């Protein structure tokens, strides 16, 4: 190909890509932009009131909560990922997938179950009081419903994000690097800290930023625990103080947090390019743990699964089968079908969009515009679902009503609401909220593919499509599955947007669980919660098996 | 036919495939309900059974449903809005998404304090928020009014949930209406000083905390206590049995009450069916079901409360026009912020 022709194809591709990726990104960023649009309406007196009274609390609590969750998910997520992929100890095969189980547990549900057990009026403290005869304030017991408690609850269900992304990297790390380190006389600890960890850094940071964004968006847990964060503040300001502008200004400050997170994540990836030096994989030679290390590993991984999954699921089961009234009555099957359908459609669509945007970026590395737009499209993840839902309602209803008015004027015919109140609006909201999840995962996967591979393929005459299908897809398979699963499970648990946007006579498991739980009927909410967890487990296990298999088949 | 027009009609036909189940047919009524499915669906089913009118339902949080109604405007498919707080009903009316409608039946059975003066909404059930105390630990003679809870003798003895909760916001709004902002703010400061613990959890948690010994009195809605008493959970039942309901402010304005109620939307396309549904919900049978199933007080004077509620005795309810609660809500929230009520 003569150089001029090559240049022409590159620029034409560039234009097509930039236009389409930008328009998709703008569309997905729309709800966030709509809400931020309220910024330009002065909130005056209400904003002053917030600054004078509660803003400091919101900032402090949100930051402390993020710090706690960051420390917790890093220790639990990276630690378990290293143990489950690189070490050999009893039960490792089971932990490989079982460590993912807490992913299916909604944060507010785990918060309810732990409160039920550990609260002052719960069985443990009652037992202590009966045993010792002490009363309130006469003995020390950790308070579940506190900032620390919220950080622990969130850590227990969010560490799998870090685990999942990090583990995939550990498994894919060329063993050569580790072997070189080991032959140079580095012990396992040193290899871990000086070689494996730096290599896995992009994945760790990606997982961590997902966990932190979810932390910022959490409403149920902090609300129940009485911890005032940005999310609770936004709700309170919007509805209690009846001030949308002030709520939007709070949202804008929250978005500032998110943007910082995203920049940190970018920065961590940009500084170093992490590509495998060799695509040749060898059989994993796991470190065979002995003595105390063996039992320590078992305890560490077992603890995570026990606290993040088995105990709360057990409590739910007890509630469901002993105290819940008519546990599985009514259209339970319909709820499951609806939930599965939404999760399936949304996760597939999110994956396609993420691939498209991810490639748009990869092919136009220099375009700052595309980079920025794609970041913007991913911001929805940290914004509370209710705020997103309102951001979806406003433009959809505007569009519907505008079309309707025009049709009425022109043809004296009403089209009514075409998209508002349909599943289209709901799935769109899911894209806005969860795109970041599939995007992070796909980008981490793409980041591991050397650009030289593209160039080689291109010089052999492969087009973008062929490169994707024949070169990238096989390498990306693990990341794609991960992206699919994470969004699927997120949709299973999603509440506020589903609650607000769903059509008539359409419910999901999360809606059912929430309605009962928010009415303080925790036991009655247990069957639906348990079903969410159960429905989430199957894909989690399948995914884990497939990741392990893809590793083995390559060797 | 003009090509544009044909194109437009085709587009309409295509879009109508993905349209929501917008009910234009006479046999339907579309309901936006802030009442949870479990607490309304059985009644709706009975309505359908008796009248042959299908009810399409979306449940959700009151404020969010209101936002949805507002954005959908004249094209909203909803005919009826049901919400659980008078403040919200007031907000819906103020936002222009409801319409006045005349119903002799409703006017006859729903007392004036519990319905809109412009006929935009009608209360369907009463929810009271009294003071509750632990049997044996509090002498009821110590208790008098909400205002009295600020007294120093209650230091470290009060459990109440967060100020983000609408029940507390409405209670404070009712006090602002009676006592004025300044007085209530001073009261709230003193009350916060009397808290046994930082506010957290729901109403049931306040009751549990009291019985377990964290505090002596709790402020909670009665239907939570009723739910604990009539539920399947033996432990909760045992806890609830140790609580006594105290009706405050009986010498003055009466105990704080709120309503759940229904309004006809301004976009309603099934107006007659909508009115029929609201009238059905105010019927003796429905009111009785509410009282039995959800531990709320009927709005009708001619329907007896359930045995559980009856056991708590007759009480005088605040007759403040409930629209006020909505108007004063922002004042109440700000006041609680300033008082340091988390």
């Amino acid at each position: 190909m003569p150089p001029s022709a090559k240049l022409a194809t590159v620029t034409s591709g560039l234009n097509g890509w930039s236009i389409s990726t930008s328009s998709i990104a703008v569309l997905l960023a729309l709800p966030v932009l709509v809400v931020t649009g309220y910024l330009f309406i002065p909130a005056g007196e209400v904003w002053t009131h917030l600054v004078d009274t509660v803003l400091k609390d919101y900032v402090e609590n949100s930051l402390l909560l993020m710090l706690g969750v960051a420390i917790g998910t890093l220790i639990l997520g990276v630690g378990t990922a290293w143990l489950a992929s690189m070490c050999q100890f009893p039960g490792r095969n089971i932990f490989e997938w079982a460590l993912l189980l807490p992913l299916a547990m909604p944060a507010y549900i785990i918060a309810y179950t732990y409160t039920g057990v550990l609260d002052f009026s719960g069985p443990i403290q009652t037992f202590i009081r009966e045993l010792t005869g002490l009363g309130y304030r006469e003995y020390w017991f950790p308070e579940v419903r506190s900032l620390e408690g919220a950080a622990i609850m969130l850590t227990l269900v969010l560490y799998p994000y870090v685990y999942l992304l990090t583990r995939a990297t550990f498994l894919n790390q060329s063993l050569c690097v580790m072997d070189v380190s080991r032959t140079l006389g580095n012990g396992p600890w040193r290899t871990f800290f000086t070689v494996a960890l730096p290599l896995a850094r992009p994945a760790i940071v990606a997982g961590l930023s997902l966990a932190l964004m979810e932390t910022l968006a959490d409403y149920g847990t902090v609300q129940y625990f009485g911890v005032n964060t940005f999310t609770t503040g936004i709700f309170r300001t919007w509805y209690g103080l009846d001030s949308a502008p002030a709520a939007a200004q709070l949202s804008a400050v929250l978005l500032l947090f998110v943007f910082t997170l995203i920049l940190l994540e970018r920065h961590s990836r940009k500084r170093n390019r992490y590509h495998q030096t060799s695509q040749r994989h060898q059989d994993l030679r796991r470190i065979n743990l002995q003595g105390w290390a063996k039992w320590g590993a078992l305890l560490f991984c077992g603890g995570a699964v026990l606290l993040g999954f088995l105990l709360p699921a057990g409590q739910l089961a007890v509630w469901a089968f002993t105290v819940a009234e008519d546990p599985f009555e009514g259209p339970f099957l319909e709820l499951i079908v609806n939930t599965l359908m939404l999760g399936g459609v949304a996760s597939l669509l999110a994956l396609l969009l993420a691939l498209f945007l991810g490639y748009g970026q990869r092919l136009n590395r220099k375009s700052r515009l595309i980079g920025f737009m794609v970041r913007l499209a991913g911001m929805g993840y940290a914004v509370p679902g209710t705020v997103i839902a309102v951001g979806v309602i406003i433009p959809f209803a505007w569009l519907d009503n505008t079309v309707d008015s025009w049709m009425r004027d022109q043809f004296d015919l009403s089209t009514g609401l075409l998209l508002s109140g349909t599943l289209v609006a709901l799935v769109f909201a899911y894209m806005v909220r969860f795109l970041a999840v599939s995007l992070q995962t796909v980008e981490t996967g793409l980041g591991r593919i050397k650009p030289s591979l593209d160039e080689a393929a291109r010089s052999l005459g492969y087009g973008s499509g062929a490169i994707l299908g024949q070169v990238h897809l096989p390498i990306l398979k693990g990341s794609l599955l991960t992206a699919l699963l994470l969004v699927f499970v997120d949709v299973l648990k999603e509440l506020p947007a589903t609650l607000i946007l769903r059509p008539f006579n359409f419910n999901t498991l999360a809606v059912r669980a929430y309605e009962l739980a928010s009415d303080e009927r925790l036991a009655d909410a247990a069957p639906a919660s348990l079903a969410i967890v159960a429905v989430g487990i199957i894909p989690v296990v399948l995914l884990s098996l497939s990741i392990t298999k893809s590793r083995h088949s390559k060797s | 036919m003009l090509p544009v027009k044909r194109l437009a009609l085709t587009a309409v036909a295509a879009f109508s495939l993905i349209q929501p189940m917008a009910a234009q047919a006479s046999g339907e009524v579309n309901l936006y309900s802030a009442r949870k499915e479990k607490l309304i669906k059985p009644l709706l089913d009975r309505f359908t059974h008796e009248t042959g009118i299908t009810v399409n339902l979306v449940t959700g949080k009151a404020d969010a449903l209101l936002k949805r109604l507002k954005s959908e405007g004249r094209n909203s498919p909803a005919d009826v809005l049901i919400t659980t707080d008078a403040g919200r009903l007031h907000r819906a009316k103020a936002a222009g998404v409801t319409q006045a409608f005349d119903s002799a039946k409703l006017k006859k059975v729903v007392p004036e304090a519990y319905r809109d003066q412009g006929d935009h909404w009608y209360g369907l059930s009463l929810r009271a928020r009294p003071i509750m105390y632990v049997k044996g630990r509090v002498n009821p003679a110590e208790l008098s009014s909400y205002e009295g809870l600020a007294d120093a003798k209650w230091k470290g003895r009060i459990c109440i949930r967060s100020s983000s909760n609408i029940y507390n916001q409405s209670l404070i709004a009712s006090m602002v209406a009676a006592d004025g902002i300044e007085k209530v703010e001073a009261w709230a400061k003193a009350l916060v000083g009397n808290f046994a613990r930082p506010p957290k959890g729901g109403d049931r948690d306040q009751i549990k905390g009291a019985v377990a010994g964290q505090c002596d009195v709790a402020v909670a809605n009665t239907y939570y206590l009723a739910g604990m008493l009539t539920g399947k959970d033996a432990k909760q039942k045992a806890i609830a049995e140790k609580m006594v309901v105290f009706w405050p402010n009986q010498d003055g304005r009466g105990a704080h009450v709120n309503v759940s109620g229904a309004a006809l939307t301004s976009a309603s396309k099934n107006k007659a069916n909508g009115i029929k549904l609201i009238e059905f919900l105010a019927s003796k049978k429905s009111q009785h079901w509410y009282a039995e199933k959800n531990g709320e007080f009927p709005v009708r004077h001619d329907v007896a409360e359930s045995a559980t509620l009856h056991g708590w005795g007759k009480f005088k309810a605040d007759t403040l026009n409930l629209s006020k609660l909505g108007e004063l809500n922002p004042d109440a929230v700000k006041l609680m912020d300033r008082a340091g009520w988390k």
Side-chain angles (χ1 to χ4, degrees), chain B residues 302-336:
Chain B
D302 55 353
V303 173
E305 59 253 29
S306 72
T308 312
L309 305 194
H310 192 71
W312 299 329
K314 283 260 168 258
F315 71 99
K316 178 175 159 190
D318 192 348
T319 51
L320 172 76
N321 186 287
L322 296 178
S323 305
K324 271 277 174 218
L325 301 182
E327 287 166 33
L328 293 172
N329 194 280
D331 285 333
V333 173
K334 281 188 215 162
L335 171 163
M336 289 191 277

Side-chain angles (χ1 to χ4, degrees), chain A residues 512-530:
Chain A
R512 163 66 73 93
Y514 162 79
E515 288 209 328
L516 292 163
S518 74
D519 217 35
E520 301 179 25
R521 302 173 174 210
L522 302 186
D524 294 338
S529 311
L530 213 51

